[in-house]
PDB file of all heavy atoms in Angstrom:
ATOM      1  N   VAL G1563      -6.341   1.978 -14.782  1.00  0.00           N
ATOM      2  CA  VAL G1563      -5.729   2.047 -13.453  1.00  0.00           C
ATOM      3  C   VAL G1563      -6.253   3.282 -12.712  1.00  0.00           C
ATOM      4  O   VAL G1563      -6.164   4.395 -13.218  1.00  0.00           O
ATOM      5  CB  VAL G1563      -4.182   2.126 -13.555  1.00  0.00           C
ATOM      6  CG1 VAL G1563      -3.557   2.191 -12.163  1.00  0.00           C
ATOM      7  CG2 VAL G1563      -3.633   0.939 -14.330  1.00  0.00           C
ATOM      8  N   SER G1564      -6.788   3.055 -11.525  1.00  0.00           N
ATOM      9  CA  SER G1564      -7.312   4.182 -10.761  1.00  0.00           C
ATOM     10  C   SER G1564      -6.181   4.860  -9.991  1.00  0.00           C
ATOM     11  O   SER G1564      -5.160   4.236  -9.693  1.00  0.00           O
ATOM     12  CB  SER G1564      -8.388   3.712  -9.781  1.00  0.00           C
ATOM     13  OG  SER G1564      -7.778   2.961  -8.751  1.00  0.00           O
ATOM     14  N   VAL G1565      -6.379   6.110  -9.681  1.00  0.00           N
ATOM     15  CA  VAL G1565      -5.373   6.870  -8.934  1.00  0.00           C
ATOM     16  C   VAL G1565      -5.059   6.168  -7.610  1.00  0.00           C
ATOM     17  O   VAL G1565      -3.911   6.076  -7.195  1.00  0.00           O
ATOM     18  CB  VAL G1565      -5.878   8.308  -8.681  1.00  0.00           C
ATOM     19  CG1 VAL G1565      -4.971   9.035  -7.698  1.00  0.00           C
ATOM     20  CG2 VAL G1565      -5.942   9.067  -9.994  1.00  0.00           C
ATOM     21  N   GLN G1566      -6.084   5.621  -6.972  1.00  0.00           N
ATOM     22  CA  GLN G1566      -5.888   4.972  -5.674  1.00  0.00           C
ATOM     23  C   GLN G1566      -4.943   3.784  -5.771  1.00  0.00           C
ATOM     24  O   GLN G1566      -4.280   3.410  -4.808  1.00  0.00           O
ATOM     25  CB  GLN G1566      -7.233   4.496  -5.094  1.00  0.00           C
ATOM     26  CG  GLN G1566      -8.109   5.607  -4.573  1.00  0.00           C
ATOM     27  CD  GLN G1566      -8.860   6.340  -5.682  1.00  0.00           C
ATOM     28  OE1 GLN G1566      -8.741   5.997  -6.849  1.00  0.00           O
ATOM     29  NE2 GLN G1566      -9.595   7.367  -5.328  1.00  0.00           N
ATOM     30  N   GLU G1567      -4.873   3.160  -6.944  1.00  0.00           N
ATOM     31  CA  GLU G1567      -4.020   1.978  -7.069  1.00  0.00           C
ATOM     32  C   GLU G1567      -2.540   2.323  -7.010  1.00  0.00           C
ATOM     33  O   GLU G1567      -1.729   1.517  -6.583  1.00  0.00           O
ATOM     34  CB  GLU G1567      -4.315   1.257  -8.392  1.00  0.00           C
ATOM     35  CG  GLU G1567      -5.564   0.405  -8.341  1.00  0.00           C
ATOM     36  CD  GLU G1567      -5.803  -0.317  -9.654  1.00  0.00           C
ATOM     37  OE1 GLU G1567      -5.301  -1.423  -9.820  1.00  0.00           O
ATOM     38  OE2 GLU G1567      -6.500   0.255 -10.510  1.00  0.00           O
ATOM     39  N   THR G1568      -2.175   3.496  -7.458  1.00  0.00           N
ATOM     40  CA  THR G1568      -0.746   3.807  -7.570  1.00  0.00           C
ATOM     41  C   THR G1568      -0.294   4.944  -6.678  1.00  0.00           C
ATOM     42  O   THR G1568       0.880   5.274  -6.642  1.00  0.00           O
ATOM     43  CB  THR G1568      -0.373   4.173  -9.021  1.00  0.00           C
ATOM     44  OG1 THR G1568      -1.179   5.262  -9.419  1.00  0.00           O
ATOM     45  CG2 THR G1568      -0.546   2.993  -9.937  1.00  0.00           C
ATOM     46  N   THR G1569      -1.217   5.556  -5.957  1.00  0.00           N
ATOM     47  CA  THR G1569      -0.824   6.632  -5.048  1.00  0.00           C
ATOM     48  C   THR G1569      -1.559   6.429  -3.730  1.00  0.00           C
ATOM     49  O   THR G1569      -2.601   7.030  -3.487  1.00  0.00           O
ATOM     50  CB  THR G1569      -1.188   8.024  -5.611  1.00  0.00           C
ATOM     51  OG1 THR G1569      -2.562   8.008  -5.990  1.00  0.00           O
ATOM     52  CG2 THR G1569      -0.340   8.363  -6.811  1.00  0.00           C
ATOM     53  N   LEU G1570      -1.024   5.548  -2.927  1.00  0.00           N
ATOM     54  CA  LEU G1570      -1.631   5.288  -1.619  1.00  0.00           C
ATOM     55  C   LEU G1570      -1.314   6.452  -0.691  1.00  0.00           C
ATOM     56  O   LEU G1570      -0.146   6.817  -0.531  1.00  0.00           O
ATOM     57  CB  LEU G1570      -1.032   4.030  -1.007  1.00  0.00           C
ATOM     58  CG  LEU G1570      -1.689   2.694  -1.249  1.00  0.00           C
ATOM     59  CD1 LEU G1570      -1.051   1.671  -0.324  1.00  0.00           C
ATOM     60  CD2 LEU G1570      -3.171   2.765  -1.011  1.00  0.00           C
ATOM     61  N   THR G1571      -2.329   6.990  -0.064  1.00  0.00           N
ATOM     62  CA  THR G1571      -2.105   8.075   0.865  1.00  0.00           C
ATOM     63  C   THR G1571      -2.402   7.588   2.264  1.00  0.00           C
ATOM     64  O   THR G1571      -3.503   7.112   2.538  1.00  0.00           O
ATOM     65  CB  THR G1571      -3.033   9.269   0.542  1.00  0.00           C
ATOM     66  OG1 THR G1571      -2.926   9.530  -0.852  1.00  0.00           O
ATOM     67  CG2 THR G1571      -2.607  10.509   1.306  1.00  0.00           C
ATOM     68  N   ASN G1572      -1.407   7.688   3.108  1.00  0.00           N
ATOM     69  CA  ASN G1572      -1.640   7.417   4.510  1.00  0.00           C
ATOM     70  C   ASN G1572      -2.371   6.095   4.754  1.00  0.00           C
ATOM     71  O   ASN G1572      -3.394   6.062   5.429  1.00  0.00           O
ATOM     72  CB  ASN G1572      -2.482   8.583   5.069  1.00  0.00           C
ATOM     73  CG  ASN G1572      -2.351   8.688   6.559  1.00  0.00           C
ATOM     74  OD1 ASN G1572      -1.601   7.923   7.165  1.00  0.00           O
ATOM     75  ND2 ASN G1572      -3.049   9.621   7.141  1.00  0.00           N
ATOM     76  N   PRO G1573      -1.858   4.992   4.185  1.00  0.00           N
ATOM     77  CA  PRO G1573      -2.624   3.749   4.190  1.00  0.00           C
ATOM     78  C   PRO G1573      -2.971   3.235   5.577  1.00  0.00           C
ATOM     79  O   PRO G1573      -4.009   2.627   5.775  1.00  0.00           O
ATOM     80  CB  PRO G1573      -1.702   2.770   3.462  1.00  0.00           C
ATOM     81  CG  PRO G1573      -0.357   3.391   3.485  1.00  0.00           C
ATOM     82  CD  PRO G1573      -0.558   4.853   3.548  1.00  0.00           C
ATOM     83  N   GLN G1574      -2.107   3.520   6.550  1.00  0.00           N
ATOM     84  CA  GLN G1574      -2.362   2.970   7.888  1.00  0.00           C
ATOM     85  C   GLN G1574      -3.589   3.570   8.537  1.00  0.00           C
ATOM     86  O   GLN G1574      -4.274   2.935   9.309  1.00  0.00           O
ATOM     87  CB  GLN G1574      -1.165   3.240   8.781  1.00  0.00           C
ATOM     88  CG  GLN G1574      -0.663   1.979   9.438  1.00  0.00           C
ATOM     89  CD  GLN G1574       0.395   2.270  10.469  1.00  0.00           C
ATOM     90  OE1 GLN G1574       0.605   3.417  10.860  1.00  0.00           O
ATOM     91  NE2 GLN G1574       1.068   1.252  10.904  1.00  0.00           N
ATOM     92  N   GLU G1575      -3.830   4.826   8.182  1.00  0.00           N
ATOM     93  CA  GLU G1575      -4.939   5.507   8.835  1.00  0.00           C
ATOM     94  C   GLU G1575      -6.143   5.634   7.918  1.00  0.00           C
ATOM     95  O   GLU G1575      -7.127   6.299   8.245  1.00  0.00           O
ATOM     96  CB  GLU G1575      -4.458   6.892   9.303  1.00  0.00           C
ATOM     97  CG  GLU G1575      -3.442   6.740  10.433  1.00  0.00           C
ATOM     98  CD  GLU G1575      -2.633   7.992  10.669  1.00  0.00           C
ATOM     99  OE1 GLU G1575      -3.075   9.068  10.301  1.00  0.00           O
ATOM    100  OE2 GLU G1575      -1.534   7.865  11.243  1.00  0.00           O
TER     101      GLU G1575
END
Side-chain angles (χ1 to χ4, degrees):
V1563 180
S1564 70
V1565 170
Q1566 287 80 1
E1567 281 181 89
T1568 57
T1569 51
L1570 268 191
T1571 311
N1572 201 2
Q1574 233 188 12
E1575 292 163 22

